[in-house]
Amino acid sequence: YASLQLAKIGGQDWCFAFCRGGLIGFDPAKGVQRFHYPWRDRQLESVNASNPVVVGDNVFISETYGIGSSYLKIKPDGYDVIWKDRQRTRERAMETHWNTAVYHEGHFFGSSGRHSNNAVLKCIEADTGKEKWKVPGLTRSSLLAVDGHFICLTEQGRLFLLEANSAEFKFVTQVRLDLPTAVPGQQEPVQLLSYPCWAAPILSHGLMYVRGTDYLVCLELIPR
């Protein structure tokens, strides 16, 4: 499920694949594997769906089925473990599902949790995995970093603008996207974005694209 991530570390070209059995680092030109870091929960239905996040010469991985997250320092022929979630406790630094954590100023931000009712939006320190804050009630969501802010799209189709702040959760505003006209005979306006909104928002040249079950919506973010 996770997309491949290309990077140049220590003058070497790398490609990282977060496969079902863990993280593989390999030479993208030759296809030669440099290391395999096992990271998979024992549950049969477990998957690793969140993309690896490359930060300098480090790589962050996370999953939501039980074992959680780990942060690795990449070396020419392998890796060192900076930290990983301990398996003999229920506490996990971050448990991303299909969404990918966002790195910002020494911290990872992301939706942590397997199910809609227990997912929280969370901020952790990158170097330690220490939790800075968490906020429930946003269901499973995806983040997009834009100019010191996060655009947060929940799986229910709600859009929030948040301040990218590691000290505390800072809400700015929210918007609900409705059809221009209500359906005849229906009092409430029809929401454009409906569950499951599992694709992350995309921003290109001042235009943001968000998708739900039935609609792809383009929003203009260019200041006037």
Side-chain angles (χ1 to χ4, degrees):
Y1 295 91
S3 298
L4 300 176
Q5 298 297 305
L6 290 168
K8 185 176 286 291
I9 299 175
Q12 289 183 315
D13 290 325
W14 283 84
C15 190
F16 299 101
F18 195 24
C19 302
R20 192 179 191 193
L23 182 69
I24 294 174
F26 64 94
D27 182 334
K30 299 178 181 179
V32 176
Q33 179 176 307
R34 291 174 177 150
F35 72 81
H36 172 225
Y37 178 58
W39 198 254
R40 181 195 168 189
D41 193 75
R42 294 181 179 180
Q43 297 181 60
L44 178 63
E45 67 270 22
S46 68
V47 297
N48 294 328
S50 182
N51 297 341
V53 181
V54 181
V55 181
D57 56 359
N58 301 333
V59 178
F60 174 76
I61 55 173
S62 182
E63 64 82 64
T64 193
Y65 289 84
I67 59 175
S69 302
S70 187
Y71 199 35
L72 308 177
K73 184 176 184 61
I74 304 304
K75 303 190 298 184
D77 58 350
Y79 61 88
D80 287 327
V81 177
I82 300 174
W83 60 263
K84 63 180 180 179
D85 280 328
R86 294 182 298 168
Q87 302 310 303
R88 295 185 178 182
T89 173
R90 293 185 178 181
E91 295 298 322
R92 299 287 182 266
M94 179 104 47
E95 296 177 288
T96 56
H97 203 166
W98 64 82
N99 62 295
T100 297
V102 176
Y103 177 83
H104 178 74
E105 296 183 348
H107 296 80
F108 290 112
F109 299 79
S111 180
S112 178
R114 182 176 176 183
H115 303 290
S116 300
N117 62 341
N118 66 9
V120 296
L121 191 65
K122 180 180 277 195
C123 170
I124 64 171
E125 287 183 347
D127 290 340
T128 65
K130 179 182 177 182
E131 179 184 302
K132 298 299 292 291
W133 54 257
K134 63 181 178 182
V135 175
L138 296 177
T139 66
R140 296 171 296 187
S141 55
S142 299
L143 294 180
L144 171 67
V146 182
D147 292 337
H149 292 78
F150 292 123
I151 295 171
C152 175
L153 175 64
T154 74
E155 62 181 329
Q156 307 297 337
R158 293 183 295 167
L159 274 170
F160 294 91
L161 182 63
L162 312 173
E163 188 177 301
N165 190 318
S166 59
E168 59 181 322
F169 173 80
K170 281 202 170 183
F171 169 83
V172 179
T173 189
Q174 66 175 305
V175 63
R176 169 178 153 154
L177 302 177
D178 294 326
L179 285 169
T181 57
V183 175
Q186 184 171 332
Q187 298 297 323
E188 293 293 325
V190 176
Q191 188 172 344
L192 274 171
L193 299 181
S194 56
Y195 174 91
C197 299
W198 289 350
I202 297 295
L203 182 64
S204 177
H205 301 284
L207 301 177
M208 184 175 71
Y209 301 87
V210 288
R211 181 166 65 87
T213 299
D214 300 316
Y215 292 95
L216 173 66
V217 182
C218 178
L219 304 172
E220 183 178 336
L221 303 186
I222 303 171
R224 294 184 179 275

